[in-house]
């Protein structure tokens, strides 16, 4: 490498390492509107380049505006934090710049991905099967439905598919990506049947059985059922055993969306949440969520390797890539993607560093912290815990004493409270609707979070709430950012 390029990369690494130091002002996010940020940032793409010095300035600007997802106050999505193994894996992956379609171009990377997927399959208690790494849980759910279609209609990839005579079933609290899958595969969102849940947000197996029979009487065949292990808002785990019983009765493919909750399988204390997962036909599981790997690192695993291979058989036409003598080694034959980055390396390195025991201890630590936050909320007279936490999602809201009857006003008050938290910039939690109430949803999936972090969060919520009067006569809207 030329000396100038080497010095540039050393400067970039120094800037990144400086960025990873705790922010001096304690803020993890700056409140800039899109228009303000456009006006204050040079986004012009020049006809004549300005060289690497200008690029280094741009990197400094980018880092100064980035949300500090590595800081303990970041509890907004289902992921967060930073691990040194993950960052190292990303660096090596970018430096080697390979693609995962053939063993020829990615020899050791192919073996590493296969080893990681086989190990995850063992935790799912599936003695046989295959899988691929995908762009995330949304893509994993899409592949689960695609494999269901392939199993039900083996010629559909060639002849096409009339989705109007089929339907699929999810819980009312399932992730929206299942609707995306219905749309992309031609089933249509109108044929996505949302099944009732119990008081804990879990799909009701008896309601599922009723729904399948009802749709059959209307002339529609069940394509698949998607159970959720760790719903997005509540963190609920559907009863896989109960749902599997219904699926076996009706001969329906069962896909489990464990993008959020799959990591419970590492914990001897909490793996019971996914009892029965070995009965599923396919599973998706995101390592970039609770396992803390950098985005993205997501696995799709199927019990029948032949179904996945047939669903992805369009790649067989690529004579310039795939050859018969490497059919069992070329991972592109098991993927919807052609060009695909090596996302397995960072997971492999982290697993080698931590082992199963390390992942299990991390899950248990997060669950203990979630229990700690829930107890803090219960002990505050003006805070309301909404739903008992099953996973590390803790949903709560501020309800000033004597005013719980002001439903819409309390909802508006909590929307404004969340906006105030964002504006202050020390904490990021999400706003969600749960049990017809606006709640603050804090998600513990960040290794930087400690009990003191959660104490500070509760203190900030209570302090800011006192500055926001509850107006029973008007609806307070959360400002757009």
């Amino acid at each position: 490498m030329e000396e100038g390029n080497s010095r540039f990369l050393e400067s970039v690494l120094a800037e990144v390492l400086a960025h990873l130091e705790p922010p001096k002002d304690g803020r993890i996010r700056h409140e800039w509107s899109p228009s303000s940020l456009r006006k204050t940032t040079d986004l012009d793409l020049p006809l004549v380049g300005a060289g690497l010095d200008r690029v280094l300035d741009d990197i400094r600007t980018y880092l100064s505006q980035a949300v500090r997802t590595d800081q303990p106050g970041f509890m907004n999505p289902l992921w967060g934090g930073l691990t040194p193994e993950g960052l190292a894996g990303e660096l090596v992956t970018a430096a080697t710049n390979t693609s995962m379609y053939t063993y020829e171009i990615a020899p050791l990377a192919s073996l590493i991905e296969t080893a990681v997927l086989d190990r995850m399959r063992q935790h799912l208690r599936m003695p046989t099967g295959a899988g691929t790494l995908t762009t995330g849980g949304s893509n994993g759910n899409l592949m689960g439905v695609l494999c269901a279609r392939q199993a039900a209609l083996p010629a559909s990839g060639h002849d096409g598919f009339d989705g109007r005579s089929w339907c699929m079933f999810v819980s009312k609290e399932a992730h929206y990506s299942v609707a995306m899958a219905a749309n992309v595969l031609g089933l249509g969102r109108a044929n996505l049947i949302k099944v009732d849940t119990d008081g804990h947000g879990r799909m009701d197996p008896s309601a599922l059985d009723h729904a399948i029979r009802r749709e059959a009487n209307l002339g529609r065949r069940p394509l698949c059922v998607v159970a959720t292990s760790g719903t997005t808002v509540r963190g609920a785990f559907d009863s896989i055993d109960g749902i599997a019983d219904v699926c076996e009765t009706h001969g329906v493919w069962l896909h489990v969306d464990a993008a959020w909750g799959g990591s419970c399988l590492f914990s001897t204390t909490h793996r019971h949440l996914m009892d029965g997962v070995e009965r599923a036909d396919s599973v998706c599981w995101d390592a970039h969520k609770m396992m803390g790997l950098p985005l993205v690192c997501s696995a799709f695993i199927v019990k029948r390797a032949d179904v996945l291979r047939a669903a992805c058989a369009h790649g067989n036409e690529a004579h310039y890539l795939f050859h018969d003598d490497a059919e069992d080694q070329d991972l592109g034959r098991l993927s919807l993607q052609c060009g695909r980055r090596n996302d397995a390396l960072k997971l492999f390195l982290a697993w080698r560093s931590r082992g199963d025991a390390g992942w299990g201890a991390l899950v248990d630590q997060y669950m203990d912290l979630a229990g700690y936050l829930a107890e803090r909320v219960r002990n505050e007279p003006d805070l309301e815990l909404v739903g008992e936490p099953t996973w590390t999602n803790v949903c709560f809201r501020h309800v000033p004493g004597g005013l719980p009857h002001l439903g819409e006003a309390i909802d508006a008050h909590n929307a404004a409270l969340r906006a105030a938290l964002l504006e202050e910039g020390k904490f990021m939690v999400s706003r969600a609707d749960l049990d017809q109430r606006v709640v603050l949803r804090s998600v513990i999936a960040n290794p930087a979070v400690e009990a003191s972090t959660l104490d500070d969060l509760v203190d900030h919520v209570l302090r800011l709430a006192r500055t926001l009067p509850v107006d029973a006569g008007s609806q307070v809207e959360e400002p757009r950012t």
Side-chain angles (χ1 to χ4, degrees):
M1 180 179 289
E2 294 181 5
E3 184 178 351
N5 292 342
S6 180
R7 284 199 304 269
F8 167 72
L9 291 176
E10 289 172 358
S11 298
V12 171
L13 182 57
E15 293 291 339
V16 170
L17 292 175
H19 169 75
L20 294 178
E21 293 295 321
K24 293 180 181 179
D25 61 2
R27 294 174 64 91
I28 62 174
R29 181 181 185 273
H30 293 277
E31 192 73 10
W32 291 88
S33 69
S35 60
S36 297
L37 198 55
R38 287 191 192 98
K39 290 176 182 177
T40 57
T41 308
D42 181 3
L43 300 174
D44 290 336
L45 299 174
L47 294 175
V48 178
L52 292 180
D53 288 341
R54 181 55 187 273
V55 171
L56 194 57
D57 288 338
D58 289 339
I59 289 172
R60 292 189 185 103
T61 299
Y62 178 83
L63 291 173
S64 70
Q65 296 297 330
V67 174
R68 298 299 306 270
T69 63
D70 59 312
Q71 294 302 302
F74 184 75
M75 293 178 275
N76 183 306
L78 306 180
W79 51 270
L82 182 70
T83 60
E85 311 99 323
L87 185 58
E90 286 285 84
L91 176 62
V92 175
T93 291
T96 52
N97 194 33
T98 191
S99 186
M100 298 299 296
Y101 39 65
T102 62
Y103 177 86
E104 179 179 273
I105 201 170
L108 185 54
S110 297
L111 298 182
I112 284 174
E113 178 168 321
T114 300
V116 165
L117 289 167
D118 284 349
R119 194 74 180 90
M120 296 177 87
R121 182 167 50 79
Q122 290 171 16
H123 279 283
L124 294 168
R125 299 187 285 270
M126 291 184 181
T128 61
T132 183
L133 293 190
T134 72
T135 58
S138 294
N139 187 261
N141 286 334
L142 174 65
M143 294 197 70
V145 180
L146 175 64
C147 285
R149 193 188 78 179
Q150 179 66 38
L153 294 167
S156 58
H158 180 272
D159 298 339
F161 170 65
D162 184 357
R164 293 172 296 180
S165 60
W166 293 79
C167 55
M168 55 188 285
F169 303 84
V170 299
S171 87
K172 288 184 175 179
E173 298 196 17
H175 192 262
Y176 74 89
S177 61
V178 183
M180 177 274 292
N183 177 26
V184 171
L185 290 175
L187 187 72
R189 292 190 297 274
N191 295 321
L192 178 64
I193 311 301
K194 296 186 176 181
V195 179
D196 287 339
T197 57
D198 63 17
H200 299 286
R202 302 171 298 200
M203 184 191 294
D204 181 349
S206 62
L208 171 64
D209 182 70
H210 175 76
I212 292 175
R213 295 179 188 278
R214 181 191 66 225
E215 296 303 318
N217 290 335
L218 296 173
R220 293 198 290 185
R221 297 173 62 186
L223 182 67
C224 70
V225 173
V226 178
T228 307
S229 290
T231 56
T232 305
V233 176
R234 196 191 300 263
F237 284 70
D238 291 339
S239 170
I240 301 176
D241 265 326
I243 293 169
D245 288 343
V246 176
C247 289
E248 289 175 6
T249 296
H250 296 280
V252 183
W253 184 279
L254 172 58
H255 172 71
V256 175
D257 175 2
W260 174 216
S263 301
C264 77
L265 295 172
F266 288 113
S267 168
T268 57
T269 305
H270 303 291
R271 66 173 298 132
H272 67 89
L273 293 168
M274 286 183 63
D275 279 352
V277 69
E278 69 278 1
R279 301 173 66 185
D281 296 289
S282 58
V283 179
C284 71
W285 175 358
D286 286 355
H288 64 242
K289 289 192 166 77
M290 186 166 282
M291 295 171 72
L293 277 298
L295 294 161
V296 292
C297 190
S298 179
F300 171 75
I301 297 171
V302 63
K303 187 176 291 182
R304 290 177 53 190
D306 62 304
V307 172
L308 178 59
R309 190 173 291 272
C312 299
H314 41 266
N316 294 339
E317 299 178 8
H319 55 83
Y320 45 85
L321 285 181
F322 302 119
H323 308 292
D324 292 341
D325 59 349
E327 183 174 356
D328 293 334
Q329 288 80 40
D330 291 344
L331 301 185
R333 297 176 185 269
L334 299 171
S335 174
L336 295 180
Q337 297 174 252
C338 179
R340 183 167 65 87
R341 73 192 305 274
N342 177 12
D343 288 320
L345 179 60
K346 57 194 173 189
L347 177 54
F348 175 79
L349 296 176
W351 212 319
R352 296 273 281 190
S353 171
R354 296 169 182 262
D356 287 9
W359 294 128
L362 186 65
V363 170
D364 292 344
Q365 173 188 331
Y366 287 156
M367 289 292 281
D368 288 344
L369 287 169
Y372 179 84
L373 176 56
E375 192 61 24
R376 275 297 320 265
V377 170
R378 289 189 194 96
N379 290 334
E380 293 292 341
D382 288 345
L383 295 181
E384 176 187 17
L385 187 67
V386 183
E388 285 294 325
T390 301
W391 198 220
T392 67
N393 312 45
V394 182
C395 298
F396 65 98
R397 64 184 196 153
H398 185 258
V399 182
L403 298 175
H405 61 285
L406 299 178
E408 291 186 5
I410 295 296
D411 285 345
H413 171 69
N414 280 276
L417 176 55
R418 193 260 180 172
L421 275 172
L422 279 183
E423 185 175 359
E424 191 176 56
K426 302 294 180 67
F427 290 94
M428 282 191 73
V429 298
S430 66
R431 168 190 166 182
D433 297 331
L434 184 60
D435 295 339
Q436 300 181 328
R437 286 171 281 184
V438 171
V439 299
L440 306 180
R441 185 201 66 167
S442 57
V443 176
I444 300 172
N446 181 343
V449 174
E450 299 176 345
S452 60
T453 311
L454 304 176
D455 288 332
D456 287 345
L457 171 62
V458 171
D459 292 343
H460 275 70
V461 166
L462 292 172
R463 177 178 54 79
L464 288 172
R466 288 193 291 268
T467 70
L468 300 170
V470 179
D471 184 357
S474 63
Q475 181 78 17
V476 180
E477 294 291 339
E478 181 176 7
R480 295 183 181 273
T481 56

